[in-house]
Amino acid sequence: MINKLALRLFPFLAWFPITPLVLRADLIAGITGALVLVPKAMAYAQLSGLPLQFGLYTALIPAAIGALWGSSRQLATGPVAILALMTAAAVAPLALPGSEEYIGLVLLLSLMVGCIQLALGLVKLGSAVNFVSHPVVLGFTNAAALIIGFSQLDMILGIPKGRSDLFFKDVWEMLGCIPLTHLPTLAMAAISLALMLLVQKIRVLAKPGVLVVVALATLVSALIGFEHTATGRIEDVAAPAAKETIQGYNTTTQRIEDMSTTVTNLTTRLRQAEKESDSRAAADLRYRLELLGLDIKAAEKESRNQLRDIRTLYFVRTVPAEGQPALLYRVGAAPEGVQTDNHLWHIKKAEQGTLKLSGGGDVVGAVPSGLPAFRLPAISFDGVLQLMSSALVIALVGFMESISMAKAMTGKTKQRLDPNQELIGQGLANIGGSFFQSYPACGSFTGSAVNLQTGAKTGLAMVVNGGFVAVTLLFLTPLLYHLPQAVLAANNLLAVSGLITFQAFRHTWKASRADGIVALVTFVVTLLAAPHLDKGVIIGALLAIGHYLYRTMAPRVAILGRYEDGTLRDVKYHPDLATSTRVVAIRFDGSLYFANIAHFEDAVLGAMADHREAKFLLVVADAINSIDSSGEEMLHNLVGQLQQSGVEVVFSGLKKQVLDVMRATGLYGFIGEQNIFSTEDQALAAISCWLGEESKACALFRPRR
């Protein structure tokens, strides 16, 4: 028998013993899920700004760890579209996508996300995710889906798009180049998307259908020569203004590299000065480092602007005579009689005087084979500081996606779900993934649905899934070279189409206008703040919390009257109810805490001022779930004040936790045990007796003091 401690440390032990029937179901589910996952993993890596193999890395290590240490047996942990986009949004402003610095920051982000989730799980704060309410998630998800869709336009149209702090400005500038759309790329994307939609309707191909389309597109791409690449030199650019822009970019890039080298040297000297307690030298070095940091930021901004300009440059390339270089002229500016190669070229990369040119469709290219190597994330104080807000938001949003899917599946599997254990599992998955080159992962709706539909019984299905991904990395990556990136972009569009649920806004608005406003504000802010998506979630969460506080600051205080069926109801909605001039009955619909005690006190004093002849105040406290020290102090003063004015305060329906506070502070004795009743009917019967309205029930109650 496995003891509780072992299960706590190794939850996957609960899977055993695994019967042949369960093993068969998990093998089928794992292989089927992998067929769906492999193309999506590569597409999401493209979305995150990382080389495509990183999507497969994220589908390998986090998937296995999440299954082994999570709570749900069907939840598929791995790459998802929203987290991929949020990763790019968090890191792209800090480094060039795809660069070594960018990869290092992504791994640091994964580690931070995992540590946050693990810490929350260990201290059993799985409920902390509730701070990101459903309206916030609704607004964010719909905005993120639109952003993902727009972010794929450059891949679908074959038009380069810049990266800046204003996502829709980049999109607008790209749309200005619509006449330069690469028609073969657009056709490849459109046909692939149509085929993906078609195979989903064919039962046999529904699950592996995307993989079939990807394989077919890759074959067609290789046969027709979809990719056209070439190299050149800056000297070959026969357009003075364009050449000047490219040279300026090269100069700025070199300047950034030189300054970064200087920063490294100065940092080494600073550590030495601090070690030798040379405060004067240390202060001078810190000053120089601060100035260099400002210069680097300015140069990086200049470099981004120059790169954006370069991406809008299109050229025609001459067919050179033997021994002569091919010249590049701006479109429409080639001299008459000059023979060109009939391709429209743009610059993919410019470094050290060499230009990498593209005149066809973009393909995946060479994907490194082999399993991900162990790599420690580069931890730095500046990096942690810059990524902290994004890491917190990604941790919460990722867990919300995971737990939402897990809860939905438990309704069908009848399995017990432990949110804190799931949080631990997700945290360990991201921590483990960060050491094996994975970006932040979470529970996947698509992968989990496949597990459920194919009959996965344990998390072993995800281990099998990861094994299939490992086989792909080891042996199949050479087959991916000619895969068009437009096909992956089409797959991303298909994936996020299900996230757009505008009808849910109307439903939320009908349920609560305040929630509808929160969802709408989150949606708008997320769109406007793109690519800084964390701002939308943070503002939405703060707005939701603010609304909650505002609502609890002024809960309803109802003056009660006797309804015809004997119950007490609000006279505001039933003005014809029977009331008494000598007894005022009120109900407070909320817990008593520091933010609403003034509201409660004002309501009580106002009610007593309107009923000056009343001798008794009955507080129907069924809805008071808790009371803090401020609430206890206010009640003590209020009861004393009313007693001095000749009004006796009686309570009914007080809950145990409220009574515990009253007994601990002495308020219970101050009010008097004879003035505290279990039900409102008992309280009213006692008050009737104290008022001299004799009945058989009067013998049950003590005389009023």
Side-chain angles (χ1 to χ4, degrees), residues 11 16 27 43 86 134 139 148 150 171 175 255 297 308 312 326 360 370 385 387 457-458 476 514 550 601 606 636:
F16 297 95
L27 285 173
M86 294 182 73
H134 171 71
I148 291 172
F150 280 113
V171 173
L175 293 177
R255 186 154 48 93
K297 285 184 179 179
R308 185 176 66 241
T312 62
L385 201 62
L387 294 173
K457 303 299 181 185
T458 73
L476 304 180
Y550 175 77
E601 186 175 21
H636 195 285

Side-chain angles (χ1 to χ4, degrees), residues 434-454:
S434 70
F435 293 108
F436 290 93
Q437 306 183 57
S438 301
Y439 64 85
C442 73
S444 164
F445 281 90
T446 303
S448 302
V450 169
N451 276 346
L452 189 65
Q453 291 167 5
T454 52

Side-chain angles (χ1 to χ4, degrees), residues 162-173 528-532:
R163 285 180 179 269
S164 71
D165 283 345
L166 294 172
F167 173 78
F168 283 102
K169 178 186 175 185
D170 297 335
V171 173
W172 182 254
E173 290 176 349
L528 295 179
H532 303 287

Side-chain angles (χ1 to χ4, degrees), residues 279-580:
S279 56
R280 185 180 183 85
D284 178 61
L285 289 168
R286 288 193 194 95
Y287 176 69
R288 292 172 63 184
L289 282 169
E290 187 174 350
L291 289 180
L292 268 174
L294 294 174
D295 289 341
I296 289 174
K297 285 184 179 179
E300 287 174 341
K301 183 178 180 180
E302 182 183 356
S303 172
R304 285 195 295 270
N305 291 335
Q306 291 168 334
L307 184 60
R308 185 176 66 241
D309 293 338
I310 289 172
R311 283 172 172 156
T312 62
L313 298 175
Y314 278 81
F315 303 92
V316 291
R317 191 166 180 255
T318 63
V319 177
E322 188 175 348
Q324 298 295 317
L327 299 179
L328 295 168
Y329 290 94
R330 294 291 301 274
V331 175
E336 290 186 15
V338 173
Q339 185 180 0
T340 63
D341 59 9
N342 297 322
H343 286 293
L344 199 62
W345 298 90
H346 64 270
I347 298 171
K348 293 291 290 183
K349 199 171 186 180
E351 57 182 6
Q352 298 178 351
T354 301
L355 304 178
K356 292 185 178 180
L357 305 170
S358 175
D362 289 332
V363 298
V364 166
V367 177
S369 61
L371 300 178
F374 180 82
R375 173 175 174 174
L376 287 172
I379 301 174
S380 66
F381 178 76
D382 287 341
V384 171
L385 201 62
Q386 290 172 317
L387 294 173
M388 181 53 71
S389 65
S390 296
L392 182 61
V393 172
I394 290 174
L396 292 177
V397 171
F399 180 61
M400 281 206 70
E401 283 221 13
S402 303
I403 203 66
S404 298
M405 187 63 197
K407 284 182 177 179
M409 291 189 297
T410 55
K412 297 183 178 180
T413 62
K414 309 302 180 184
Q415 179 198 344
R416 180 180 174 274
L417 185 67
D418 183 350
N420 292 310
Q421 185 62 48
E422 197 59 56
L423 199 48
I424 291 172
Q426 294 296 310
L428 289 175
N430 280 307
I431 291 172
S434 70
F435 293 108
F436 290 93
Q437 306 183 57
S438 301
Y439 64 85
C442 73
S444 164
F445 281 90
T446 303
S448 302
V450 169
N451 276 346
L452 189 65
Q453 291 167 5
T454 52
K457 303 299 181 185
T458 73
L460 182 62
M462 286 310 299
V463 177
V464 174
N465 193 308
F468 190 93
V469 173
V471 170
T472 302
L473 283 166
L474 287 170
F475 305 110
L476 304 180
T477 53
L479 303 177
L480 301 174
Y481 183 94
H482 291 285
L483 171 58
Q485 292 195 9
V487 176
L488 297 179
N491 184 44
N492 279 332
L493 283 183
L494 186 63
V496 301
S497 61
L499 298 177
I500 300 176
T501 54
F502 289 138
Q503 69 275 12
F505 282 95
R506 181 182 298 177
H507 180 81
T508 302
W509 179 268
K510 288 179 179 178
S512 167
R513 295 204 171 181
D515 284 347
I517 291 172
V518 169
L520 188 60
V521 169
T522 304
F523 175 79
V524 172
V525 171
T526 303
L527 284 179
L528 295 179
H532 303 287
L533 303 186
D534 55 319
K535 289 182 171 58
V537 176
I538 290 172
I539 290 176
L542 291 176
L543 195 61
I545 293 170
H547 169 249
Y548 169 77
L549 291 175
Y550 175 77
R551 184 162 45 85
T552 58
M553 282 174 61
R556 187 173 65 166
V557 181
I559 307 297
L560 304 176
R562 182 75 73 176
Y563 195 64
E564 58 186 18
D565 61 1
T567 60
L568 298 179
R569 299 196 184 183
D570 192 346
V571 297
K572 179 179 178 180
Y573 300 103
H574 304 278
D576 298 330
L577 294 184
T579 57
S580 169

